[in-house]
Amino acid sequence: MITWMFVSSALSALVAGGGSYLFSRKLLAANSKTLLEQYKAKAKAIEYEANKLLQESKIKAKEIELESKRRSEKESVRITKEHENNLLELEKIKIKENQKLEREYYKLEQEKNLFNKDRNIFNEEQEALKVLKSKYQSMLQELTRLLCSITHLSKEEARELLFEKIKEEAKIDAAKLIRKYEEDAKEEAKAKANYILAQATTRFAGEFAAERLTQIIALPSDDFKAKIIGKEGRNIKALEMTCGVDIIIDDSPGIITISSHNLYRRSIAAKAIQNLIEDGRIQPARIEEVYQKCLEEFENSILEEGERITLDLGLNGIHTEIKKLIGRLRYRASYGQNALEHSLEVANLAGIIAGELGGDCLLAIRAGLLHDIGKARTHEYKGTHVELGAEIAKRYNEHPAVLNAILAHHGNEEAKSIEVFAVCAADTISAARPGARREVLESYLRRVSEMEQIALSKMGVLHAYAINTGREIRVIVKSEDINDEESYLLAREIAKEIQSQVQYPGEVKVNVIRETRACAIAG
């Protein structure tokens, strides 16, 4: 019984194990099939993504290829257009050259015709002279024969007497002829000169604006007057000392006036005050900072203006320092006439006159532009503008005609070329036309410049500014070199020299300022 139960249990266990095995195998097969299907699905998805990426890559490559082709075509069109423009420019240049050659050829043909005409006239006169000479010989022989028969003189004596008579008559006729030719030559030269000057002045009409000693600045409101004056006048004193100008604040609504004989200094001061008004912070330290910034801007602007002027006139090879001096002429005046406008006027007129006379137009323009270049330095260096200009021309190796024009336009030496004669004539035209200059302004500028130079020549003087229309000179000294007692002596010494060397109306006040500043930085 026990054995049967054991066998039965073993068979049951065996059947259960076999069933479990079969079920597990069937389950494993089903799972394997599912996983295989999943893997196939993933493989298809990956294949689909790969094909999609491949298609996108092909599309992208096609787009890149099209873009590259479009750019290439666009670049090709641009290069072709540039090439066509270059060809057009070359064609224009060629046309201009051909026109120039045609004009030269026409001019040569005219000169040739005139020469042939003169030669024909000369040949005709030669033939007429031969005929007259033949008649003269015949008449002379006849007169000699008659004299011999009437006066019973020998042939030699009669001939000598006749020659004396003929000589006297010939001298009178020659004198009359010479006088006539001289008068004709003078009339012709005068007419030609008037024609050339008329052509020059007609083809160039320069603008004219008289320079003034004051400049008005508009204020946003009258409240800014108090800001400009500052507490106890500190701001206005700092402005006048830093800029070297005289600032006038009166009852006129909405404006202040800047006064100075130095146009450059006055322009910088005006720009600095305008910047301070826009900024709103007006105080001594800020004033010095803004003034230095404006000074740098003006130095750059004068170089840019000099370069622009030389470029407009077609001049090459001018030194950078000379270009700066050309720009600085904008802030100089001679007898109320702006020095730069005068130089440009002289340059243009000289070029036209030189062209009419057969000279070098560009050289005349260059000499005319630089003939007063020394005026850009007369405020800083001793000597006349002619001496300073000649020194500048020599230093920067300017053309000899430029140096000759600088020296010749005031009679320091003789003019040596057509171009220099043209510059001298143009200078006279520009300066002598009605309303161009004012004698009073120039004498005033000379007077205040002399007073400033006297003060600057003293040891220890840092700056010197003539203000109040030349009735006061403000002298700023170095505090480390001049003490309080020496400042009084310096003021008396400057006043004595001004009194002995300068002619001026009324009185001149010499104000010596000695200032000590201490600066510390809190870190």
Side-chain angles (χ1 to χ4, degrees):
M1 189 68 179
I2 294 172
T3 305
W4 172 247
M5 290 177 66
F6 178 77
V7 170
S8 177
S9 298
L11 288 172
S12 298
L14 182 63
V15 170
S20 176
Y21 169 76
L22 291 172
F23 179 75
S24 297
R25 185 173 179 182
K26 189 175 180 179
L27 182 63
L28 181 63
N31 289 338
S32 298
K33 187 176 181 180
T34 302
L35 289 174
L36 183 61
E37 290 176 354
Q38 290 178 353
Y39 288 148
K40 287 181 178 180
K42 286 183 179 180
K44 287 183 179 180
I46 291 170
E47 184 179 1
Y48 175 76
E49 289 294 330
N51 290 330
K52 184 178 180 181
L53 290 174
L54 181 61
Q55 291 296 326
E56 289 179 354
S57 298
K58 288 181 178 179
I59 293 170
K60 191 70 175 177
K62 190 69 175 177
E63 289 177 354
I64 293 172
E65 183 181 358
L66 291 173
E67 181 66 19
S68 176
K69 187 176 180 181
R70 185 180 63 79
R71 288 183 180 178
S72 177
E73 291 175 353
K74 188 176 180 181
E75 185 68 18
S76 176
V77 170
R78 187 185 66 80
I79 293 172
T80 304
K81 191 173 182 179
E82 286 184 357
H83 183 65
E84 290 176 354
N85 291 335
N86 292 334
L87 288 176
L88 286 174
E89 289 295 327
L90 290 173
E91 188 67 25
K92 288 179 181 178
I93 293 171
K94 187 177 179 181
I95 291 171
K96 288 182 180 179
E97 291 292 332
N98 289 335
Q99 290 175 349
K100 185 178 179 182
L101 288 173
E102 287 176 359
R103 287 195 298 269
E104 292 292 333
Y105 177 77
Y106 178 72
K107 188 176 179 181
L108 287 173
E109 284 293 323
Q110 285 185 325
E111 291 179 354
K112 183 179 178 181
N113 293 332
L114 289 174
F115 175 75
N116 291 331
K117 185 177 179 181
D118 291 340
R119 185 173 61 181
N120 293 333
I121 293 171
F122 176 75
N123 292 333
E124 290 175 0
E125 290 179 350
Q126 286 284 91
E127 293 296 328
L129 185 61
K130 289 179 180 179
V131 173
L132 289 174
K133 188 175 180 181
S134 176
K135 290 182 179 179
Y136 168 76
Q137 291 292 338
S138 302
M139 291 176 66
L140 183 61
Q141 292 176 1
E142 182 65 24
L143 286 172
T144 304
R145 187 183 64 77
L146 289 173
L147 280 173
C148 291
S149 62
I150 295 170
T151 58
H152 304 289
L153 295 174
S154 63
K155 187 176 181 180
E156 287 75 14
E157 290 174 342
R159 183 175 292 179
E160 188 176 349
L161 181 62
L162 186 59
F163 277 154
E164 288 295 330
K165 183 66 175 175
I166 291 172
K167 276 184 183 179
E168 293 295 328
E169 293 178 356
K171 283 181 181 179
I172 296 171
D173 292 340
K176 290 180 180 179
L177 192 61
I178 290 169
R179 184 176 179 180
K180 180 180 180 299
Y181 284 155
E182 284 182 350
E183 290 176 355
D184 291 344
K186 286 179 181 179
E187 290 296 326
E188 185 178 352
K190 186 177 179 181
K192 183 67 174 176
N194 289 337
Y195 170 77
I196 292 172
L197 294 178
Q199 287 289 316
T201 53
T202 303
R203 289 165 61 185
F204 176 79
E207 296 181 356
F208 168 69
E211 298 297 337
R212 299 289 183 263
L213 301 178
T214 59
Q215 185 170 343
I216 295 174
I217 295 180
L219 302 177
S221 66
D222 280 347
D223 296 338
F224 276 90
K225 289 185 178 180
K227 289 185 179 181
I228 292 171
I229 294 172
K231 187 178 181 180
E232 298 178 356
R234 291 176 184 173
N235 290 345
I236 194 169
K237 288 178 182 177
L239 278 169
E240 290 180 341
M241 288 176 59
T242 303
C243 302
V245 298
D246 189 21
I247 300 175
I248 302 169
I249 301 177
D250 52 20
D251 296 334
S252 301
I255 62 168
I256 62 172
T257 304
I258 302 174
S259 176
S260 175
H261 69 280
N262 190 317
L263 306 182
Y264 185 65
R265 191 189 301 161
R266 192 183 71 208
S267 300
I268 297 175
K271 182 65 175 177
I273 292 173
Q274 288 172 349
N275 289 347
L276 288 167
I277 290 171
E278 292 175 2
D279 184 54
R281 295 176 294 166
I282 304 177
Q283 52 189 1
R286 180 66 177 163
I287 287 168
E288 291 188 4
E289 179 184 347
V290 172
Y291 175 78
Q292 289 298 326
K293 185 178 179 181
C294 291
L295 183 62
E296 293 175 1
E297 290 177 358
F298 265 73
E299 287 296 323
N300 293 331
S301 68
I302 60 175
L303 175 58
E304 291 174 1
E305 181 158 22
E307 290 177 342
R308 178 185 61 78
I309 289 169
T310 54
L311 184 63
D312 290 344
L313 294 176
L315 303 178
N316 298 319
I318 294 182
H319 197 275
T320 304
E321 292 299 322
I322 295 183
K323 291 179 182 178
K324 288 183 180 179
L325 295 176
I326 293 171
R328 191 179 285 270
L329 286 175
R330 171 71 65 189
Y331 306 99
R332 283 301 320 276
S334 177
Y335 294 95
Q337 186 181 30
N338 185 274
L340 181 57
E341 295 299 330
H342 168 66
S343 297
L344 288 172
E345 194 171 55
V346 171
N348 284 284
L349 290 172
I352 295 169
I353 294 171
E356 291 289 339
L357 296 174
D360 188 337
C361 295
L362 279 179
L363 182 57
I365 291 172
R366 189 187 193 101
L369 180 64
L370 301 180
H371 81 287
D372 271 346
I373 196 67
K375 288 183 178 179
R377 286 191 169 180
T378 51
H379 274 25
E380 303 169 0
Y381 299 91
K382 292 183 179 180
T384 65
H385 76 278
V386 174
E387 295 170 351
L388 295 173
E391 181 185 348
I392 292 167
K394 290 176 182 176
R395 180 182 301 173
Y396 298 111
N397 298 320
E398 272 297 329
H399 195 280
V402 175
L403 178 60
N404 184 220
I406 292 172
L407 295 171
H409 80 282
H410 275 301
N412 293 65
E413 71 177 31
E414 292 293 329
K416 299 177 182 177
S417 63
I418 292 174
E419 294 79 15
V420 178
F421 278 111
V423 171
C424 295
D427 180 61
T428 304
I429 294 170
S430 176
R433 59 189 172 84
R437 295 187 170 186
R438 296 195 306 274
E439 175 68 30
V440 176
L441 177 61
E442 181 64 18
S443 60
Y444 164 76
L445 295 178
R446 190 183 303 112
R447 182 174 73 248
V448 294
S449 297
E450 288 174 357
M451 290 192 295
E452 286 186 352
Q453 291 299 326
I454 289 172
L456 290 170
S457 65
K458 303 301 177 185
M459 187 176 65
V461 174
L462 188 61
H463 300 293
Y465 305 127
I467 59 176
N468 290 333
T469 64
R471 295 183 180 181
E472 179 182 353
I473 181 165
R474 184 167 292 166
V475 182
I476 302 172
V477 299
K478 299 176 183 177
S479 58
E480 61 270 20
D481 295 340
I482 305 286
N483 57 33
D484 290 338
E485 290 76 19
E486 289 174 339
S487 63
Y488 289 101
L489 295 174
L490 179 63
R492 290 175 60 86
E493 184 179 354
I494 293 173
K496 284 183 179 179
E497 286 198 25
I498 291 174
Q499 185 176 356
S500 62
Q501 298 181 20
V502 182
Q503 293 182 355
Y504 53 89
E507 296 178 347
V508 175
K509 180 182 178 182
V510 180
N511 191 359
V512 176
I513 300 172
R514 178 178 178 269
E515 184 182 22
T516 302
R517 298 189 184 186
C519 180
I521 299 174

